[in-house]
Amino acid sequence: MASATQPTNQSNPPLSLPPTIPLLEHLLATPPADSLTILTGVLDATTNWVIARLLVELVRPPADPANHTEDESAVVFASFLRDWAFWADLSRRVGLDLPRLRATKQLVFVDGLTRFFSHHMWGEAAGAENRTLGWKGSAAQVVVDLEAIVKEVARGGESVGFGRKRKVVVVLDALDFVLAAGGDEPHAPLDLLEALLGLREHVHSATIALHAATPFLVPSQAGSAPLGDSSPLEVSAAMLLASLAGQARAVLSLRPLPSGVAPDASGFLRVTRGGGVGDGDEDKGGVMEEMEALFFVARDSKVQIFKRPGIVG
């Protein structure tokens, strides 16, 4: 029997969502089963707006509402550098009501920032509406703890108010912060990758956002030897990003304009196929067009993406 707290479509009017960005529709719509999508950005071109638009697409009802109920799927969104208030405000500006999604259990927000270094406070604080993650000695253990939350959401635990298994999509923001928190532990990247494989066994698909500053991607620049003068963090970050890109169906990368700020463009957006695309993935919707375009994020967070000479968005 369904829980008495289970939300229904009758008690919740349909969400009013912003239109899809045409050039990103195939990438941001609910990804194929078992797929991984990687988002990379830098300080001057962050992935925040991409994540917000991804959340919009993940909760967008299908074309035939008769075949959809709000409790069929859930998004587990874990952020390690930005808190709930930041994401609630950004989502509101793009037309997404995160508090409502949280209330109807369509989205579970996992706060990996506020109490990350408070070891004894991991879990769900009394009276709190968000889950929290904390450091327990290794980056891999953080992902293992997140996996426990995902399993609970999937099976419809009491804390999320459902009594049957649901399809879970996981979105991880700033996972490289978790790796950096471990210092120079040499096995941390491999252990983290192994933990991520375990997590992905329990989700429909995963999207991971990472920072991709040049020192992380090209650690050999500092010295003549391939990795001779690189810090452990540089080596670990490069290893993590390269390994995940090799498993992904797609990599979306953002970078600023070489000339700096422009009144009508914020930076470049590039979509490439990852190493996880197989020969049969095109039939499953797993392959998208590779492209490079300009993007513009306005002050009201509206986004335009355009290929010369016309604008689409």
Side-chain angles (χ1 to χ4, degrees), residues 6 18 20 34 53-54 56 62-63 95 102 114 130-131 146 155 165 196 200 215 240 243 247 258 261 283 291 300:
Q6 177 175 332
T20 300
D34 303 320
R53 297 306 298 239
L54 171 65
V56 169
R102 182 176 63 179
T114 305
N130 298 321
R131 307 303 295 269
L146 177 61
R155 68 174 177 258
K165 196 166 184 177
L196 287 170
R200 290 177 58 196
L240 176 66
S243 298
Q247 301 171 22
V261 179
D283 294 334
M291 70 168 186
D300 59 1

Side-chain angles (χ1 to χ4, degrees), residues 26-27 29-37 167 169 200 203-206 249 281-288:
H26 190 64
L27 180 67
T30 302
D34 303 320
S35 66
L36 172 66
T37 303
K167 177 177 71 177
V169 176
R200 290 177 58 196
V203 301
H204 174 80
S205 62
R249 78 186 250 266
D281 287 339
E282 189 167 0
D283 294 334
K284 303 175 185 177
V287 177
M288 73 293 300

